Amino acid sequence: MKAFQIQHQSVYARPGKIISWAKPPVCWIKLNCYGSYRGNLGNSGGGGIIRDCHGMAKAAFSSCFGNGTNNSAELKAILEGIRLRKRLLYFNVIIESDSRIVVDWLRKGSCTLWYLWDFWEYIVAELEGVNFLVLH
């Protein structure tokens, strides 16, 4: 490269990170959800998968939510997953999301963003009578 007088930059690779997924206990399902957006108040969507205690996929979903924020996309993806869980008649569910703020809302039972309260109320209603845990 020096002979051709081509400049190059050194590339730094970050060390890898081991990620694992744990099966839910017997008689439980795990709902893994993910919301995504392109720029705040940009296109958003989400999806997820429901797996049983053997790790077998029972259902999956994805949706386009239109314009929204990162938190609205995460919340809407969880709502879609909870509604799918209801249609499949599962009543013991572990909800897993990578959104720390939404996980904290679910654990505390309170959403702190007023513009998401409508979706929050739908989630609370859908989880009534359901045994659930929330993981990050």
Side-chain angles (χ1 to χ4, degrees), residues 15-41:
K17 186 177 184 181
I18 297 175
I19 299 173
S20 64
W21 182 86
K23 295 176 188 174
V26 174
C27 297
W28 284 71
I29 57 146
K30 186 178 274 190
L31 168 62
N32 291 94
C33 293
Y34 184 77
S36 180
Y37 72 106
R38 186 174 186 160
N40 247 352
L41 287 179

Side-chain angles (χ1 to χ4, degrees), residues 95-120:
I95 302 166
E96 194 167 66
S97 170
D98 69 340
S99 172
R100 169 63 72 192
I101 192 168
V102 173
V103 166
D104 287 345
W105 291 343
L106 287 164
R107 288 178 176 165
K108 293 175 184 174
S110 175
C111 172
T112 58
L113 295 177
W114 63 269
Y115 61 88
L116 296 176
W117 287 349
D118 288 342
F119 297 107
W120 178 255

Side-chain angles (χ1 to χ4, degrees), residues 3 6 13 16 31 44 46 50-51 58-59 68 77 101-102 117-118 123 129-130 133 136:
I6 297 174
L31 168 62
S44 66
I50 294 175
R51 294 180 185 263
K58 293 300 185 179
I101 192 168
V102 173
W117 287 349
D118 288 342
I123 287 176
V130 175
L133 300 171
H136 180 262

